[in-house]
Amino acid sequence: RKIGDDDHHLVILHYFMFISALGSGIVAFQDWKTPVGTEWLWLLAIGLVGFVAQNFFTKAIQEPSDDVSFLAILRYSEVIYALIIGYFLFHEVYTLQSILGIALIFAGLLLSFRYKS
């Protein structure tokens, strides 16, 4: 929240996207598979939706309000969506370590809601 007081939201958004792409690219480099056919359209759609969502989130965080802490806490709920989509669409199998990590995130989320003040 403090970082974005003086910068335009698009500057923050572009730094976020650049660092995310760089970090993802480094991790994906050793197992790279070039997209083919409609996979390019899916990647474009994911990029556009991510850009728009992050743009609105960045603008909301920059607004002077008491609800900023609520927005930051609510952001962690994306783990729920990733878990459900990964399980049902991609048939991901979660290890005990990943389930414990998810449980820690949820515990932190619940504690943040409880002790928000």
Side-chain angles (χ1 to χ4, degrees):
R1 168 78 175 97
K2 189 78 169 156
I3 293 172
D5 285 342
D6 298 332
D7 294 322
H8 192 271
H9 67 278
L10 289 177
V11 172
I12 297 167
L13 180 62
H14 281 95
Y15 275 116
F16 173 77
M17 293 292 220
F18 174 74
I19 291 170
S20 297
L22 185 65
S24 300
I26 290 170
V27 173
F29 181 72
Q30 56 188 329
D31 194 31
W32 179 259
K33 292 178 181 64
T34 303
V36 290
T38 58
E39 293 174 348
W40 284 107
L41 294 175
W42 283 110
L43 284 173
L44 180 64
I46 289 169
L48 288 174
V49 168
F51 180 83
V52 170
Q54 189 64 42
N55 186 30
F56 284 123
F57 183 75
T58 304
K59 287 169 74 172
I61 287 288
Q62 284 184 323
E63 291 293 320
S65 172
D66 292 335
D67 294 334
V68 170
S69 60
F70 176 74
L71 288 174
I73 291 169
L74 194 60
R75 175 75 186 232
Y76 286 106
S77 68
E78 69 189 28
V79 174
I80 298 169
Y81 302 117
L83 180 72
I84 292 169
I85 290 171
Y87 183 77
F88 288 108
L89 290 182
F90 301 112
H91 309 289
E92 291 179 347
V93 177
Y94 298 103
T95 63
L96 180 61
Q97 184 178 9
S98 52
I99 291 172
L100 287 173
I102 292 167
L104 286 173
I105 291 171
F106 286 127
L109 179 66
L110 293 174
L111 288 171
S112 295
F113 273 123
R114 183 177 173 120
Y115 299 107
K116 186 175 134 183
S117 61

